[in-house]
Amino acid sequence: MNKPMRLIRNLAGSIVVLTIIAYVIFYLTGFSFTPKYFIGIPVFFLLLTLVLALYAGKHLKENKELSIASILGIRVILVGIVIIVLVINILIDREHILPLAVAYVVYDSVFSVFETRILLTLNKKN
């Protein structure tokens, strides 16, 4: 298995582990800080991981190098989608804005680290 696909598998595993940790924290606090649709956050980031995996698979088949502009474009599009979904969720659940925002920041930070590594490994020629 090549390096981008291993990183994508690690990203999906990290999202699952983060979700388990979040539910343990919510359990310890009595679920009083749990956002209304919390399960949607990891599902959303797993869907973004799937989109990234499909793009990486397509790019690996073509075997051409990514430009810096395309890497930045992909990152801007994905961050824009995350911000739009965050704003929609904040409008739906105004009661738990802080835990919702913290959860999105943590998930997006992990996703961004792996996304950058995946896109940079696609940029290198074999």
Side-chain angles (χ1 to χ4, degrees):
M1 184 181 290
N2 51 13
K3 189 171 181 175
M5 292 304 165
R6 276 185 281 149
L7 286 170
I8 289 172
R9 186 186 66 217
N10 292 344
L11 172 59
S14 298
I15 290 173
V16 170
V17 168
L18 273 176
T19 305
I20 293 169
I21 291 171
Y23 272 115
V24 167
I25 291 171
F26 290 143
Y27 175 76
L28 293 175
T29 61
F31 291 102
S32 60
F33 296 109
T34 307
K36 191 173 186 179
Y37 299 111
F38 176 74
I39 194 65
I41 298 170
V43 169
F44 171 69
F45 280 98
L46 284 172
L47 286 174
L48 283 180
T49 302
L50 179 66
V51 169
L52 191 60
L54 292 174
Y55 180 77
K58 178 183 166 251
H59 184 75
L60 287 173
K61 285 181 184 174
E62 293 175 359
N63 200 22
K64 60 181 181 180
E65 202 168 310
L66 282 175
S67 67
I68 299 298
S70 62
I71 291 174
L72 288 175
I74 293 167
R75 291 196 42 108
V76 167
I77 289 171
L78 291 176
V79 168
I81 292 170
V82 168
I83 290 172
I84 290 170
V85 171
L86 173 62
V87 169
I88 290 170
N89 280 331
I90 285 175
L91 293 175
I92 290 172
D93 189 13
R94 292 177 187 235
E95 207 172 286
H96 300 102
I97 290 176
L98 184 62
L100 187 67
V102 169
Y104 265 92
V105 167
V106 169
Y107 277 98
D108 190 44
S109 299
V110 170
F111 182 79
S112 293
V113 167
F114 279 100
E115 174 195 16
T116 303
R117 287 184 181 172
I118 291 166
L119 291 174
L120 288 176
T121 57
L122 288 176
N123 196 19
K124 294 178 183 174
K125 288 192 174 189
N126 296 333

